[in-house]
Amino acid sequence: MSRSAQLAALAALLADNTRAAFCLALLDGRAWTASELAAHAGVAPSTASEHLGRLVRGGLLVERRQGRHRYVQLAGPRAAELVELLASRLDAVPDPPRTLRGSRVSEALARGRTCYDHLAGRLGVAITDAMAARGLLELTGGCALTADGTTWLTGPLGADPGQLRGTRRPLARACLDWTERRTHLAGVAGAVVCSRLFAGGWVRRVGSDRAVRLTPSGADALRDLLNLDPEPLTA
Amino acid sequence: MSRSAQLAALAALLADNTRAAFCLALLDGRAWTASELAAHAGVAPSTASEHLGRLVRGGLLVERRQGRHRYVQLAGPRAAELVELLASRLDAVPDPPRTLRGSRVSEALARGRTCYDHLAGRLGVAITDAMAARGLLELTGGCALTADGTTWLTGPLGADPGQLRGTRRPLARACLDWTERRTHLAGVAGAVVCSRLFAGGWVRRVGSDRAVRLTPSGADALRDLLNLDPEPLTA
DNA sequence: CGGACGTTTCGGCGGCGGCCGAACTGTCGC
DNA sequence: GCGACAGTTCGGCCGCCGCCGAAACGTCCG
């Protein structure tokens, strides 16, 4: 079975109104009986039974028979994550329109750019990697700021501690880089790093678009602060 | 259009062998022409054209007409993330088999317990959920502390700010609960919350094992601090 | 201008699958 | 045991949709 067929089969599990309603209901983490789900989705018990069979066979749900009841639950955190990511996309703003300029991205943009309010491109990825190497970030799975990371932001980097307070926005968040296809630092910490680099004259915008470049003093600063070799970023 | 119908419509975009093959090919980040994709997936150009129309209308792809060519690309990092998460699940180990609650787990352990240095069980999950509802945590994907969360730990909760500094351990981390199958707060913040609850006399160990119970003053405190209904945790 | 080519639209075909009701199995409670 | 109830299996209906080829459209190039 080809990879695309597997992907299609997985997506097909959620590509039905009734099954989607089941999974959304099950996002509450509880175990539901088959008839509860049937009533919730407004379908006949026989229909629900078939849907549950598919979802269990597909590995998205697990079941437990107890007496005359069939309890089902999302199969685990990975299954829940899947449903949640798809569902969350419904509320989200669509991806910003992209300008397709030929089929390749300009070299300046690939080297470094801003992504909303944080840094992306090779520059953003390199800074993120260097922060992780210094123990300021943990990159397993998502992107979590360590306690050392907080200290570093307000200490050596010289960020205003007030920027790190009073917002419901996550301190650190993983953002997927389009050109590098790597995660880099976003969230409050990403914005703080970006604004400090601009404030110190360490990066500058190139022209009027989102591309940025590292200045000579910025190269020195990154070497000092993060033990980062700026060579590949200025070439 | 109901939420489940929206979810189903989104999943349906990938629930076809040919469209899935398109999206997997587009994961390379390049822009492909319609006929390239048709050849790649082994379908007639007319068929590919219809699929591309659906994917673009569904917001998963963006297109750019240039002369007699139609270039398409994944719509952006969020779309790429979606495809990648689904595709990565194909290679992944299935969720571990779950033993559903009720068989042998003691009720006291299920209600609340410690997991290393943080709280788990229904108590741990309830606190995590309440913190997320107050904007102190963000649970999408992993578990990230927000700036408000940091303020809350050292303010209302009364944690020593020094505990949040000088460690390479992540501030917040998602830990999977084995009775609830839900993620709950771990990392430095999880340890801090746990130690504050013990220090305040709000939770107490039961016997010599890892089970803990909420004290009456703890129930009041959680109501005050997190707007959390402690009823299900004490019953 | 004419031919080649990339793409789109349309009609028609076939299969998949979601839905229900009816009949059946198994469990619980009286 | 017997009825009530939860769930399953099966057959049949129907609509959706993926597929193709043919034809049309628009662009590029000689």
Side-chain angles (χ1 to χ4, degrees), chain B residues 116-184:
Chain B
Y116 307 103
D117 60 356
H118 60 270
L119 293 169
R122 286 202 291 280
L123 176 62
V125 170
I127 288 176
T128 303
D129 285 346
M131 287 180 68
R134 293 279 301 251
L136 310 177
L137 293 177
E138 181 113 343
L139 288 180
T140 53
C143 183
L145 195 65
T146 67
D148 272 3
T150 310
T151 312
W152 182 82
L153 289 176
T154 55
L157 191 63
D160 173 10
Q163 287 184 276
L164 299 180
R165 288 198 295 266
T167 161
R168 299 172 65 134
R169 192 175 168 201
L171 282 177
R173 168 176 280 291
C175 180
L176 177 65
D177 193 278
W178 57 280
T179 47
E180 293 295 303
R181 274 97 200 172
R182 297 277 310 281
T183 61
H184 59 262

Side-chain angles (χ1 to χ4, degrees), chain A residues 4 73-74 98 100 148 167, chain B residues 17 73-74 98 100 148 167:
Chain A
S4 59
Q73 245 183 345
L74 285 172
R98 313 175 50 186
L100 288 176
D148 272 1
T167 161
Chain B
N17 196 339
Q73 241 182 348
L74 286 172
R98 316 170 56 172
L100 286 176
D148 272 3
T167 161

